[in-house]
Amino acid sequence: MNKFNLMMATALAAGLAAGAAVAQEKVRIAFIDPLSGPFATTGTQGLAIYRHSVKELVNEPGALLDGQAEFEMVPFDNKISAKESLIQLQVAMDQGIRIIAQGASSGVANALTEAVAKHNRRNPDDPVIFLNHSAVDPALTNDKCQFWHFRFDANADIKMDALTDDIAANPDIKKVYVIGQDYSFGKAVAAAAQRFLKEKRPDIEIVGNELHPIGKVKDFTPYARKIVGSGADAVITGNWGGDMVGLGKAVMGAGFDKPIYTYYGATSGITAAFGEEGDGIVKLVGAGQVNPAPTPEAQEFIEAFYVSFPDLDFGQPQMANVAPMLAAAINEVGNATDIKAIAYALEGMEYDSIVTGKTVMRESDHQAIQTVTVQGQTPEAAFEYDKSGRGMVAETVVELASNDAPTTCEMKRP
Amino acid sequence: MALFLVNVLDGFVTGLLLFMLCSGLTLIFSMMGVLNFAHASFYMLGAYFAYQISLVTGFWAGLLIAPLIVGVIGALIERYGLRRVHKYGHVPELIFTFGLALLIEETVQFFWGKSQLPFSEPAALDFAAFAIAGNAFPAYKVFMIAVAMGIFLTLLYILTKTRIGMTIQAALSYPETVQNLGHNVPLVFMCVFGVGTAMAGLAGVIAGPVLGVFPGMALQLGSIVFVTIVIGGLGSLWGALVASLIIGWLQTFATAYDITAEQVLTAIGFTKPELIWDHPLQDLWTLTLPQLGPILPYLLMIIVLVLRPQGLMGNRES
Amino acid sequence: MSIASKTPLTAGTTRLISLSNAMPWAFAALFLLCLPFVFQSSSALTIMNQMAITIVFALSYNMLLGQGGMLSFGHAVYMGLGGFFAMHVMNMVEDGLWLPLPFLPVVGGLFGLVFAFLIGSFSTRRAGTVFAMISLGVGELIAACSVIIVVFFGGEEGISGDRTMGPPVFGYEFLTQQEVYYLTVVWLLVAALLMYLFSRTPIGRIANAVRDNEERAEFVGYSQRNVRWISFCASGFFAGVAGSLFAINFEILTEENLNLATSGSILLVTFIGGAGFFVGPIIGAVVFTLLQTVLGLHTELWALYLGILFVACVMFFPSGFAGLIAMHRRPLALGNLKLLIKPYLKVAVPAITSVLSLAAILEILFHKRHGYGGGHEMHLYGIAFDSGAYQAVGLAGIIAAISLFLVSRVLPEIREAWDSANHAEDRV
């Protein structure tokens, strides 16, 4: 709790360790995400996944600079506010941290990537690197791309590519209803859905395409009525948080029993809220998979996660890639201080992930290309979410998803 | 037409739910002259208590017990908090209830955490009562209508036909006279506050399974409740009912029909610019009715306050 | 409001500012200009900038609440609108418009003023509850519009810019936090001084009169509505200045700059500081920013503590921190302040202990329930222990009980000392 004392203790411990034969260098990663407020669960869960992957995949195997150094996660609470994130970024940089991780909300990611770019432009000798683990607005690796930003999650377009593969394979689906939150990410999802459906299944009719105000809708019933009234065979939505729960419950409550394709329709209380009603209906598209565990190492890794963090879920597998990939980049450079060299090392890196298969950090736009899966909610899942007795099981698996997707990114390299 | 009917019913449910909150709020306001900013927080407390109770005993016990607990908490807050601040005047009172709303939200997060809780309707009501053109109408919503109507009729009966109601109404207009007649006005106030908050708690219990139980649920409904009683006229029970229903229907129908500004503007005779995405008026052209839905109540409130500050059915100002 | 003006109405007619009044301003200026030599890290500067912005914003809010008796739940609107406009102008500067950065707040302030003028034209007709409700409605309306009117508000992501693209001012390009700090501080001093002078002009005095008794002010011949309207416009201007300073500091504005939460927190800031005093909002802003940023680094429960502090403030000391300080004016004038020192020191130790141990109980319980990172290992006040064990809570509880008991024992002594300190005749 008390960070100062924690730091003192760490410093003391570090001092003692220095006295021993092997000096252990601490490489600190600032984790800037909401740890209080309505989205605290998202941040807490992400932090737990990071801590777990740092421990299991880097520190304990001694995978960083031949065991000479260790990663340390330093959490900063941004209360999901752009302003607060910039302040925390400043605090982190003052503490000497040059590696920044963030992911909850594309709005915050936009603010951070701009702040990082500005800082690096103003201080070219002391750059900062931004590892984005889950903000998926495509613009971040397209129009707004920049050299210091790396995205480890599949972006909204890549996810939609996989999602529409699943829809295209289902001949029962003739009409699709697209609904999302009225902001950049929701708009990106809607645009991608139109584009891919037109390309893969021109016979599918998009019977509804609408955006609702984000976080402001109390009752989704009128939307649910429109969806049922339109005769849709499937719903696609990028909603998250309360908007996902509200929409899902209202749509299922209005008698809709066909697939609901979501980006964030699981964990953080959502699976528990849908309960039995969501079985066989709620689908989730995401990077990697939890059920079934793709590799024996993943099985072990996820089991250990649930032992360490029994109250949380292993929700976003791709987050576990950040620490080991960063470690590989640092190993390649040979030190953890030359941030520019580390960024160059990350570019184009190929990595065999235990949860997302073969993963490539694409050089052209700093977008990770990895296995993307479409998962379905079912009570027969080895790793359950929200202690609800049900979880998400992979149904369609796309390896190296959207590897050849074009990007509008014009990367300026220092 | 079928969809229209479904929307009428849905809007009715939303309106009645709003009314359950507004009736308590407007009762408290007319008695004590204090706008209880924390009213929606008691609604949230009701839902959380009911959830906690339902883990042990199931939904129905929670429906009965949770509002009682909320009512007692409300009465205690009136007795030891509000009454203390009362002497400083109405503005500090309003600030006190504002602080209370913050505090309740934080306290709820302290005990129950920050994510949404899985609180669902009782299994006995988890079926579709009927369907209109494929649109299921859940039995639970029928139950909500019944509870809200029951509350309204009981309230109306108590206020107009019973002795307690007479005292309350008298204490409303002539507190000193009623006090001189030997009635314990502070006690009446405390009871009214308790009953008002208990009704908010009850609304929370029955709305919880539909609208979700999460720490932001009070904030989400908080300002709309104010807007409703201001539109209806502060202190008027009938006004609260009318305004609740208007807002319920307004929001439902605004969301249900995809009328776009483009249709309207073209119908009037304007032509849409070709390069709309760089046009200064792009937002005007791409506006839709569902987008406007959430701001309509506020717009209505400002119009009402400017044209008729006492509200639709109110008979006095502030 | 219960807080009445302490100075007679005639004071404003003599002289706006006297030498003795000017001294605190000079000291404040000197102090603020020296601060960066003590706190050099840019995060400390960021926090100080944030504090300065909050001070300007809170002072402008207090023109309504403290001086005009208008309770607003939507003041963030004017700060936000001013800030958004300033940001657009900043982007125009990048595209070639000539405007040195230090003058940007004037632009933002004027935009805030225009909106305050428009909205004030109908909202200031009445004070009290009606005004509060209209302010809430307008606040929610404009916050909701921010996602609809994307051209101006930039939707959910907001709009951002780069402050360094303007013409350099005496060679400064505002690249570092320190340069921005000086710009912010100069504006803080200018804005605070102007607001102080406004409160001492006849119109500021009449605003107080309208706050205290609308009818009497009308009888004297002043339109209460116009008086409120003018205060409202002035307040909107300074809120816009605060918004522009925000734009310069953070280079981004989003919906959260406009919404109810921001409006609510500025009410909290002003009230905790003391709405009845000019320095109240300043104290409130400093305390609030420290609580939010520094305490927020150490505990997840900072908002709970803030809520408790706020409610306690409304209930027990409604004149805020400034009021608590001002209570000591009389003992000071009587030269009796030393009588209070000993009992204060006596209560300080058990009082601080009880606050810390009560907070410890909350922290331990919270950690046990929701602590992230798994396990129950917990660090508090430099001690590591297992939050799952009941001994920790028990120990904190016992310490809290003992210290509260000690506080209750010392209280009568304080009361006695207070009484004697406030009575001149007790002195021999």
Side-chain angles (χ1 to χ4, degrees):
Chain A
M1 278 288 120
N2 189 323
K3 206 154 293 154
F4 179 70
N5 286 310
L6 199 67
M7 269 163 52
M8 292 294 284
T10 325
L12 199 70
L16 285 175
V22 188
Q24 281 243 319
E25 190 196 345
K26 288 276 180 199
V27 178
R28 289 176 300 162
I29 303 172
F31 179 86
I32 307 183
D33 257 346
L35 298 170
S36 68
F39 300 102
T41 336
T42 315
T44 336
Q45 182 176 299
L47 182 60
I49 295 175
Y50 261 97
R51 287 211 160 129
H52 189 61
S53 62
V54 161
K55 181 172 147 235
E56 299 277 325
L57 302 179
V58 179
N59 289 357
E60 282 191 353
L64 186 60
L65 296 174
D66 297 323
Q68 302 283 304
E70 278 193 342
F71 277 140
E72 184 193 355
M73 298 305 299
V74 187
F76 294 89
D77 180 11
N78 69 3
K79 306 173 184 86
I80 209 150
S81 135
K83 175 185 90 172
E84 205 58 40
S85 307
L86 299 187
I87 294 174
Q88 300 302 341
L89 171 68
Q90 193 63 254
V91 174
M93 290 193 303
D94 273 356
Q95 292 183 3
I97 305 177
R98 291 293 174 268
I99 303 165
I100 310 292
Q102 182 271 346
S105 166
S106 293
V108 172
N110 264 317
L112 271 183
T113 187
E114 269 181 35
V116 165
K118 261 178 223 158
H119 174 269
N120 293 351
R121 203 159 56 229
R122 289 170 196 173
N123 307 279
D125 303 327
D126 188 18
V128 172
I129 190 170
F130 173 28
L131 311 175
N132 162 8
H133 48 251
S134 58
V136 300
D137 181 353
L140 288 167
T141 45
N142 284 291
D143 294 349
K144 290 181 182 168
C145 80
Q146 54 123 340
F147 178 72
W148 307 98
H149 166 265
F150 293 87
R151 166 151 52 203
F152 291 83
D153 199 357
N155 73 31
D157 288 348
I158 298 177
K159 287 186 181 183
M160 185 56 76
D161 196 356
L163 192 159
T164 43
D165 279 350
D166 197 71
I167 291 182
N170 185 347
D172 292 342
I173 298 177
K174 301 262 181 346
K175 292 175 176 175
V176 169
Y177 201 104
V178 186
I179 180 166
Q181 294 152 318
D182 193 358
Y183 79 115
S184 61
F185 167 64
K187 286 175 186 161
V189 170
Q194 270 177 315
R195 198 172 72 229
F196 284 116
L197 282 178
K198 200 172 162 190
E199 190 184 301
K200 293 178 190 170
R201 279 279 301 275
D203 62 308
I204 286 185
E205 183 191 354
I206 295 180
V207 287
N209 183 2
E210 80 173 302
L211 300 167
H212 64 78
I214 170 172
K216 294 268 184 331
V217 179
K218 287 175 284 293
D219 187 4
F220 277 94
T221 313
Y223 294 102
R225 299 296 184 208
K226 269 197 277 189
I227 291 170
V228 174
S230 71
D233 301 313
V235 173
I236 298 178
T237 179
N239 279 13
W240 43 268
D243 283 342
M244 185 62 241
V245 179
L247 178 71
K249 286 190 83 170
V251 170
M252 289 185 270
F256 189 80
D257 54 3
K258 290 159 191 162
I260 303 174
Y261 288 92
T262 74
Y263 276 55
Y264 299 106
T267 84
S268 309
I270 298 175
T271 308
F274 290 163
E276 200 187 331
E277 223 174 356
D279 290 344
I281 292 182
V282 178
K283 311 276 175 198
L284 175 92
V285 61
Q289 67 189 61
V290 179
N291 286 314
T295 54
E297 294 89 352
Q299 177 77 23
E300 214 172 287
F301 181 74
I302 302 170
E303 267 170 16
F305 177 87
Y306 278 97
V307 171
S308 304
F309 305 95
D311 297 332
L312 298 169
D313 286 334
F314 189 71
Q316 301 225 22
Q318 83 283 348
M319 281 193 199
N321 291 343
V322 184
M325 285 179 77
L326 180 66
I330 291 176
N331 290 341
E332 196 184 313
V333 175
N335 67 61
T337 44
D338 190 352
I339 297 294
K340 193 162 101 179
I342 294 170
Y344 271 115
L346 262 179
E347 250 188 357
M349 176 182 284
E350 288 188 18
Y351 173 72
D352 276 319
S353 166
I354 57 168
V355 279
T356 63
K358 189 179 177 202
T359 303
V360 182
M361 181 56 73
R362 204 153 67 162
E363 201 173 341
S364 56
D365 56 354
H366 293 188
Q367 166 67 54
I369 301 296
Q370 57 203 319
T371 303
V372 174
T373 57
V374 180
Q375 308 154 27
Q377 185 183 318
T378 151
E380 279 123 36
F383 297 108
E384 55 176 20
Y385 281 157
D386 299 333
K387 298 201 191 67
S388 61
R390 40 189 43 81
M392 308 305 286
V393 171
E395 291 170 352
T396 303
V397 179
V398 187
E399 282 172 11
L400 288 177
S402 303
N403 193 11
D404 48 358
T407 172
T408 59
C409 176
E410 287 164 16
M411 190 81 72
K412 288 193 193 78
R413 290 185 172 75
Chain B
M1 189 59 210
L3 207 57
F4 178 79
L5 210 63
V6 176
N7 282 318
V8 168
L9 279 174
D10 284 333
F12 190 57
V13 174
T14 313
L16 282 180
L17 195 68
L18 255 184
F19 169 71
M20 288 184 65
L21 277 169
C22 297
S23 53
L25 186 60
T26 205
L27 206 63
I28 291 169
F29 178 77
S30 44
M31 297 281 329
M32 323 173 65
V34 52
L35 265 178
N36 180 15
F37 217 104
H39 203 70
S41 307
F42 290 102
Y43 154 86
M44 170 159 81
L45 279 181
Y48 271 95
F49 286 140
Y51 164 75
Q52 199 63 44
I53 296 167
S54 75
L55 290 183
V56 187
T57 62
F59 179 83
W60 300 105
L63 183 69
L64 291 176
I65 302 170
L68 284 180
I69 304 178
V70 175
V72 170
I73 292 177
L76 289 177
I77 286 176
E78 196 281 331
R79 175 67 187 81
Y80 294 102
L82 207 53
R83 204 174 294 177
R84 194 189 171 90
V85 185
H86 188 69
K87 58 176 179 278
Y88 304 133
H90 282 326
V91 169
E93 265 181 335
L94 195 50
I95 296 177
F96 172 76
T97 58
F98 175 77
L100 200 60
L102 289 183
L103 193 55
I104 291 179
E105 187 177 327
E106 293 302 326
T107 314
V108 159
Q109 294 192 17
F110 179 82
F111 285 108
W112 284 283
K114 283 135 186 166
S115 40
Q116 175 140 8
L117 296 180
F119 184 40
S120 42
E121 50 272 86
L125 288 175
D126 195 11
F127 61 95
F130 54 89
I132 303 173
N135 261 299
F137 198 79
Y140 189 74
K141 288 204 166 172
V142 179
F143 166 74
M144 284 169 82
I145 296 179
V147 173
M149 294 298 275
I151 294 258
F152 177 64
L153 294 176
T154 319
L155 215 57
L156 204 62
Y157 176 77
I158 291 179
L159 280 180
T160 55
K161 294 281 192 294
T162 65
R163 207 180 147 73
I164 309 169
M166 302 287 177
T167 317
I168 291 176
Q169 291 218 332
L172 275 180
S173 330
Y174 308 102
E176 286 88 11
T177 321
V178 175
Q179 181 109 41
N180 291 340
L181 284 171
H183 293 286
N184 187 347
V185 172
L187 183 72
V188 172
F189 279 9
M190 194 173 111
C191 292
V192 168
F193 201 86
V195 171
T197 48
M199 277 165 56
L202 181 62
V205 183
I206 66 170
V210 179
L211 300 186
V213 181
F214 55 100
M217 64 187 286
L219 193 70
Q220 203 177 48
L221 219 61
S223 31
I224 206 83
V225 174
F226 275 102
V227 169
T228 313
I229 67 161
V230 171
I231 292 176
L234 292 168
S236 158
L237 197 61
W238 280 102
L241 181 68
V242 170
S244 303
L245 291 178
I246 290 180
I247 288 185
W249 277 317
L250 201 61
Q251 291 201 313
T252 307
F253 280 103
T255 327
Y257 291 97
D258 289 317
I259 299 169
T260 62
E262 193 183 329
Q263 290 165 344
V264 177
L265 289 172
T266 339
I268 309 174
F270 292 96
T271 39
K272 188 178 177 179
E274 285 201 3
L275 289 165
I276 191 67
W277 292 116
D278 290 318
H279 200 269
L281 289 179
Q282 70 167 65
D283 295 316
L284 182 67
W285 277 96
T286 51
L287 200 63
T288 64
L289 190 58
Q291 264 187 321
L292 278 179
I295 66 167
L296 287 179
Y298 301 106
L299 222 49
L300 186 65
M301 168 171 118
I302 291 169
I303 294 169
V304 165
L305 278 177
V306 171
L307 298 180
R308 198 180 147 81
Q310 68 271 42
L312 289 179
M313 308 188 72
N315 42 22
R316 55 175 178 168
E317 287 180 26
S318 65
Chain C
M1 299 262 4
S2 61
I3 309 107
S5 167
K6 298 268 178 336
T7 33
L9 266 172
T10 47
T13 52
T14 50
R15 196 194 289 168
L16 277 177
I17 201 158
S18 66
L19 192 66
S20 63
N21 276 338
M23 284 308 283
W25 290 96
F27 274 119
L30 200 65
F31 175 71
L32 289 172
L33 294 179
C34 291
L35 263 185
F37 295 101
V38 184
F39 299 101
Q40 289 176 333
S41 75
S42 33
S43 65
L45 287 169
T46 307
I47 291 175
M48 287 194 288
N49 284 344
Q50 203 192 354
M51 227 177 251
I53 296 165
T54 316
I55 291 174
V56 176
F57 187 31
L59 282 173
S60 88
Y61 184 74
N62 207 33
M63 293 175 89
L64 300 180
L65 180 66
Q67 292 165 29
M70 289 174 270
L71 172 62
S72 166
F73 287 114
H75 201 52
V77 163
Y78 308 96
M79 176 183 181
L81 285 172
F84 272 102
F85 189 72
M87 188 60 88
H88 282 292
V89 173
M90 204 192 276
N91 286 331
M92 282 182 221
V93 169
E94 198 175 334
D95 294 337
L97 177 80
W98 191 87
L99 180 82
L101 192 71
F103 296 106
L104 192 66
V106 180
V107 179
L110 287 175
F111 195 73
L113 176 86
V114 168
F115 262 83
F117 180 82
L118 293 175
I119 292 164
S121 66
F122 59 89
S123 74
T124 54
R125 276 192 219 158
R126 279 172 197 78
T129 312
V130 175
F131 175 82
M133 289 300 102
I134 297 188
S135 71
L136 178 72
V138 171
E140 289 277 17
L141 188 69
I142 294 189
C145 279
S146 67
V147 277
I148 299 175
I149 307 174
V150 183
V151 173
F152 187 74
F153 294 108
E156 193 72 14
E157 298 94 85
I159 55 166
S160 47
D162 191 337
R163 63 175 175 245
T164 59
M165 294 301 175
V169 181
F170 304 119
Y172 292 112
E173 287 182 85
F174 301 100
L175 284 167
T176 64
Q177 282 294 330
Q178 198 156 12
E179 287 163 6
V180 177
Y181 171 79
Y182 282 115
L183 171 71
T184 313
V185 151
V186 169
W187 263 104
L188 164 66
L189 288 168
V190 170
L193 187 64
L194 286 175
M195 281 188 266
Y196 180 71
L197 293 179
F198 180 86
S199 73
R200 306 196 35 109
T201 56
I203 187 80
R205 297 291 182 191
I206 298 205
N208 292 355
V210 168
R211 170 197 70 197
D212 296 333
N213 193 325
E214 296 177 358
E215 280 159 14
R216 208 180 288 168
E218 288 259 305
F219 285 138
V220 182
Y222 294 101
S223 151
Q224 42 152 320
R225 182 262 172 103
N226 284 350
V227 170
R228 273 197 293 263
W229 195 3
I230 293 170
S231 302
F232 193 75
C233 290
S235 170
F237 175 80
F238 289 109
V241 169
S244 317
L245 291 177
F246 187 98
I248 291 172
N249 267 281
F250 295 98
E251 299 179 299
I252 184 167
L253 270 114
T254 57
E255 190 259 358
E256 70 181 284
N257 291 94
L258 298 159
N259 65 16
L260 185 62
T262 309
S263 296
S265 64
I266 205 64
L267 162 63
L268 190 143
V269 166
T270 311
F271 203 86
I272 287 183
F277 303 86
F278 184 79
V279 291
I282 301 177
I283 299 173
V286 172
V287 171
F288 176 81
T289 316
L290 285 179
L291 276 179
Q292 191 186 27
T293 52
V294 180
L295 195 64
L297 272 183
H298 295 288
T299 167
E300 275 188 76
L301 295 177
W302 66 275
L304 179 66
Y305 299 135
L306 197 64
I308 295 174
L309 178 66
F310 183 44
V311 171
C313 176
V314 184
M315 282 176 67
F316 302 108
F317 49 109
S319 48
F321 283 124
L324 286 182
I325 296 169
M327 274 164 65
H328 294 85
R329 248 191 237 152
R330 192 175 149 80
L332 180 70
L334 294 172
N336 285 346
L337 212 52
K338 56 181 177 298
L339 289 180
L340 290 168
I341 294 174
K342 210 179 120 201
Y344 275 10
L345 283 177
K346 235 168 143 180
V347 81
V349 176
I352 292 172
T353 318
S354 57
V355 168
L356 287 180
S357 50
L358 287 173
I361 296 177
L362 291 179
E363 291 288 344
I364 294 168
L365 291 178
F366 184 76
H367 190 271
K368 196 171 153 188
R369 267 187 95 84
H370 309 289
Y372 55 78
H376 287 139
E377 193 196 338
M378 182 177 176
H379 300 263
L380 194 68
Y381 309 136
I383 314 162
F385 55 89
D386 177 10
S387 71
Y390 59 88
Q391 289 97 325
V393 188
L395 184 65
I398 292 168
I399 297 176
I402 294 175
S403 49
L404 281 175
F405 174 72
L406 288 176
V407 170
S408 71
R409 287 295 294 273
V410 187
L411 277 182
E413 196 179 322
I414 288 201
R415 209 163 288 141
E416 213 170 276
W418 178 253
D419 285 340
S420 56
N422 275 294
H423 285 90
E425 59 267 33
D426 286 356
R427 279 182 74 213
V428 186

